[in-house]
Amino acid sequence: MSQATITSTSADHGVTLYTLRNAHDMRITISDCGATLVSWWAPDRYGRVADILLGYPDCEGYQSNPPYFGGLIGRWGNRIANGRFTLDGADYLVDRNEGSNHLHGGDSGFHLAQWQAAAGPDGLRLTLESAEGEAGYPGKLQVSVLYSLDDEGRLSIDYSASSDAPTPLNLTSHGYFNLNGGSADIYDHILAIAADQYLQIDAQLIPVAAASVAGSAFDFRQPAPIGPRLAWPDPQLKLAGGFDHCYCLLPQHPAVPGEGRKPQTLREVATVYDPGSGRQLSLATTENGLQFYSGNFLEGVQGRGAAPYARHDGFCLEAQAYPNQINGPDAEAVVLRPGQVYRQTTTYHLTVR
């Protein structure tokens, strides 16, 4: 499958925007600030083109980006309880930027960093060096992310990383999608997730136990509209203000001492369909976890439109390791050690039906 052409334009705040365009004029814009997914322009079933990503009207908003619109998240996607972990007998304290917890890499996460970008025949590659001690993490980390778009409408995100000392690592992409192009909320979107279990959370959104999805609002093994599920009287939904939970994707490889994480083969794990536009987004990943977030805290955020975003105006599907896994029994699976290479692939495939 042929790859998209790539063009670049300079923007304010020293930012460069790169546009990947395939043979069908589908366009994805990526910023070197945060390796951020800025826009994804795509037609609906009638050929009408709209942007299916939420975001800011200019580069200024991405300099702070509290909702993490489109950002590349690291070193740790999601939460670490109390901002603490123990690795090889040493205790580490990382940024506490969500109450007492660590969220999405801390105060200066990768979504705010200036990445080095280079366009090539395989796509747009962005690289970053994270210094020893940054946000409290051990090890100097080298990270590379390759974005590519093919003529079938598939955006591939290929991650790799290495470190000169043992360090936890959990990278993900934090794009907010709305398949109707922002003309309405996501209530009518029909979601399917291939998972039998999800991680229940406490009041601080930290996982406490795996639970079966059967009979609950979290059962998307068969496609179901998101809106009605948000109205279910489920205590877990009340805690998060909606969905903000990690699904346990099957099959899984167990952690092997000394071998670090073992990614899965790339397999499709979720689809979202918007009946109004006909757009369908399918996600495939090599990861064990998938965080489904229903935009619970978007209320009042001023994005590209004339009016601020409202609650549930977008959704995220973040392929990743499990939240707080570094403090669990399978912590070794999320430790990157010298001589190892972290690899992850996630694809978002946009079609129309």
Side-chain angles (χ1 to χ4, degrees):
M1 292 178 287
S2 60
Q3 296 296 326
T5 59
I6 303 175
T7 57
S8 63
T9 57
S10 297
D12 53 3
H13 298 277
V15 170
T16 301
L17 300 175
Y18 296 84
T19 298
L20 283 62
R21 185 190 305 260
N22 72 8
H24 305 291
D25 206 29
M26 180 180 286
R27 291 169 287 141
I28 297 177
T29 299
I30 298 165
S31 171
D32 60 1
C33 173
T36 299
L37 291 172
V38 175
S39 293
W40 188 337
W41 292 89
D44 65 7
R45 65 163 62 94
Y46 305 107
R48 297 173 300 198
V49 175
D51 190 353
I52 63 165
L53 285 174
L54 276 60
Y56 294 107
D58 53 41
C59 293
E60 184 174 0
Y62 293 98
Q63 303 300 304
S64 57
N65 197 4
Y68 304 92
F69 284 139
L72 196 291
I73 304 300
R75 291 187 190 191
W76 188 270
N78 219 303
R79 295 170 176 87
I80 296 177
N82 300 312
R84 292 182 179 276
F85 61 88
T86 300
L87 178 56
D88 295 341
D91 295 329
Y92 294 90
L93 179 65
V94 289
D95 289 349
R96 294 173 172 179
N97 60 319
E98 189 191 52
S100 62
N101 299 320
H102 178 82
L103 176 66
H104 291 337
D107 297 322
S108 56
F110 291 178
H111 68 292
L112 300 177
Q114 187 68 32
W115 293 63
Q116 299 299 311
D122 295 331
L124 177 67
R125 185 172 296 279
L126 296 110
T127 56
L128 180 69
E129 180 176 288
S130 176
E132 162 80 27
E134 190 172 280
Y137 286 98
K140 182 172 71 173
L141 188 73
Q142 305 288 341
V143 185
S144 175
V145 180
L146 178 68
Y147 290 99
S148 57
L149 174 66
D150 66 25
D151 288 341
E152 303 301 318
R154 183 180 292 102
L155 172 67
S156 297
I157 309 176
D158 292 291
Y159 309 74
S160 61
S162 60
S163 177
D164 65 359
T167 188
L169 190 61
N170 179 26
L171 304 178
T172 193
S173 177
H174 208 295
Y176 285 75
F177 295 91
N178 185 316
L179 300 184
N180 62 45
S183 61
D185 53 38
I186 62 168
Y187 285 17
D188 290 341
H189 286 42
I190 297 173
L191 172 65
I193 300 177
D196 295 334
Q197 292 186 315
Y198 75 104
L199 299 180
Q200 293 185 329
I201 56 173
D202 63 16
Q204 294 188 349
L205 309 185
I206 299 296
V208 292
S212 171
V213 300
S216 77
F218 295 84
D219 191 350
F220 289 98
R221 290 175 296 179
Q222 297 299 318
I226 294 171
R229 293 296 180 89
L230 287 165
W232 281 32
D234 190 307
Q236 283 290 304
L237 293 178
K238 186 176 181 180
L239 282 173
F243 294 96
D244 194 2
H245 297 74
C246 189
Y247 282 78
C248 306
L249 306 174
L250 297 175
Q252 299 174 61
H253 295 305
V256 177
E259 291 188 6
R261 67 191 299 277
K262 292 187 69 176
Q264 309 291 338
T265 56
L266 185 68
R267 76 279 193 214
E268 186 175 298
V269 297
T271 61
V272 188
Y273 172 62
D274 173 42
S277 68
R279 295 186 184 95
Q280 177 170 290
L281 187 71
S282 302
L283 182 144
T285 187
T286 57
E287 294 300 278
N288 289 329
L290 182 67
Q291 187 84 6
F292 170 42
Y293 174 53
S294 55
N296 311 328
F297 302 107
L298 285 172
E299 186 73 36
V301 177
Q302 183 61 59
R304 283 192 272 265
Y309 290 125
R311 190 180 182 194
H312 309 314
D313 268 357
F315 69 90
C316 302
L317 290 173
E318 306 159 58
Q320 56 187 246
Y322 298 146
N324 199 39
Q325 186 171 337
I326 187 59
N327 286 312
D330 51 353
E332 181 63 26
V334 292
V335 174
L336 177 65
R337 296 185 177 276
Q340 298 176 347
V341 178
Y342 171 101
R343 297 193 188 280
Q344 185 215 133
T345 297
T346 296
T347 69
Y348 296 92
H349 187 196
L350 188 64
T351 54
V352 175
R353 61 184 177 96

